[in-house]
């Protein structure tokens, strides 16, 4: 950690390559924290097959999620996020029992291969908080993928608040899909957009 920080403070660009589970066994997050403490800006690039779990912590860093990589982001990012893999801002440690959302204090850009994975119905019948909040601009492409807690929308329909962007929403998702492992996510619906928000209007088709 001292070498990384020292070289960066000398004005050099430091690139740290890490293999395997670099933020689980490879001390990657410790290195990011050391740079944060020294005021060194960091960009984390997640490559194919890597994961970066973020459980209720702040990360002062730009993050790029490469195709095939996953970012479980139940915490806040102070920086920009570029998602070409899978971003999951709602996967908290007890997500069946608790509501988790995340904030990006910067811009969010999702490319054509990007997937925004969200847990459907965590807030019950009256969603009061967006699942992902972006202080800057949200530029959208790719897909939204819903996972289920086992909760089904009421017969009259359900409007899930997916995303809010203080700097505005540009573009649209290509579509949505489901990734339910327990077979309980039976719905149809459509994505709806305002200048700063994205919603999903869901209708239950069977239980």
């Amino acid at each position: 950690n001292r070498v990384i920080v020292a070289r960066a403070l000398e004005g050099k660009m430091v690139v740290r390559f890490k293999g395997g589970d670099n933020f689980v066994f490879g001390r990657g997050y410790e290195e990011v924290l050391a740079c944060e403490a020294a005021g060194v800006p960091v960009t984390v690039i997640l490559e194919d097959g890597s994961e970066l779990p973020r459980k209720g912590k702040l990360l002062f860093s730009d993050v790029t999620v490469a195709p095939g990589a996953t970012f479980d982001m139940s915490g806040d990012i102070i920086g920009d996020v570029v998602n070409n893999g899978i971003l999951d801002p709602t996967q908290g440690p007890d997500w069946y029992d608790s509501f988790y959302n995340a904030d990006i204090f910067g811009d969010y850009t999702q490319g054509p291969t990007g997937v925004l994975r969200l847990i459907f119905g965590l807030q019950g019948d009256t969603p009061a908080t967006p699942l992902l909040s972006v202080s800057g601009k949200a530029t959208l492409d790719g897909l939204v993928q819903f996972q289920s807690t086992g909760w089904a929308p009421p017969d009259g329909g359900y409007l899930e608040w997916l995303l809010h962007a203080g700097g505005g929403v540009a573009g649209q998702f290509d579509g949505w899909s489901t990734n339910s492992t327990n077979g309980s996510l039976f719905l149809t619906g459509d994505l709806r957009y305002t200048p700063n928000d994205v919603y999903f209007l869901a209708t239950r088709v069977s239980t």
Side-chain angles (χ1 to χ4, degrees):
N1 294 354
R2 290 192 298 269
V3 173
I4 293 173
V5 170
R7 296 296 183 269
L9 293 178
E10 290 173 1
K12 298 177 180 178
M13 178 178 289
V14 180
V15 179
R16 181 75 160 102
F17 290 98
K18 303 184 75 67
D21 293 321
N22 41 39
F23 282 84
V24 179
F25 303 110
R27 296 182 59 254
Y29 194 66
E30 295 175 32
E31 294 171 359
V32 171
L33 289 176
C35 290
E36 290 176 2
V40 174
V42 179
T43 297
V44 177
I45 300 176
L46 300 180
E47 292 294 338
D48 186 7
S50 63
E51 295 192 9
L52 173 55
R54 294 274 305 112
K55 303 305 180 188
K57 300 176 181 177
L58 283 169
L59 182 64
F60 294 82
S61 171
D62 294 337
V63 175
T64 298
V65 187
T70 301
F71 184 17
D72 291 334
M73 186 198 146
S74 56
D76 296 335
I77 297 292
I78 299 179
D80 298 332
V81 176
V82 177
N83 177 27
N84 293 307
I86 298 174
L87 177 72
D88 187 342
T90 54
Q91 191 69 270
D94 302 304
W95 60 271
Y96 274 101
D97 302 313
S98 304
F99 168 65
Y100 289 85
N101 72 326
D103 295 299
I104 296 173
F105 295 94
D107 295 332
Y108 175 65
T109 302
Q110 181 165 308
T113 61
V115 176
L116 180 62
R117 180 184 291 167
L118 302 169
I119 298 175
F120 181 82
L122 278 178
Q123 301 185 75
D125 294 338
T126 56
T129 306
L131 299 180
L132 178 62
S133 295
V134 179
S135 70
K137 183 178 180 179
T139 303
L140 305 179
D141 203 338
L143 297 175
V144 177
Q145 184 182 81
F146 295 111
Q147 296 188 94
S148 176
T149 60
W151 179 85
D155 291 331
Y158 172 75
L159 192 66
E160 181 81 272
W161 192 1
L162 306 185
L163 181 149
H164 172 77
V169 173
Q172 295 187 356
F173 296 111
D174 282 342
W176 63 275
S177 64
T178 63
N179 184 31
S180 177
T181 57
N182 58 13
S184 61
L185 192 59
F186 299 101
L187 58 89
T188 185
D190 61 276
L191 294 161
R192 300 194 172 187
Y193 299 85
T194 70
N196 295 89
D197 299 279
V198 182
Y199 299 90
F200 182 75
L201 180 61
T203 304
R204 183 171 61 189
V205 294
S206 64
T207 57

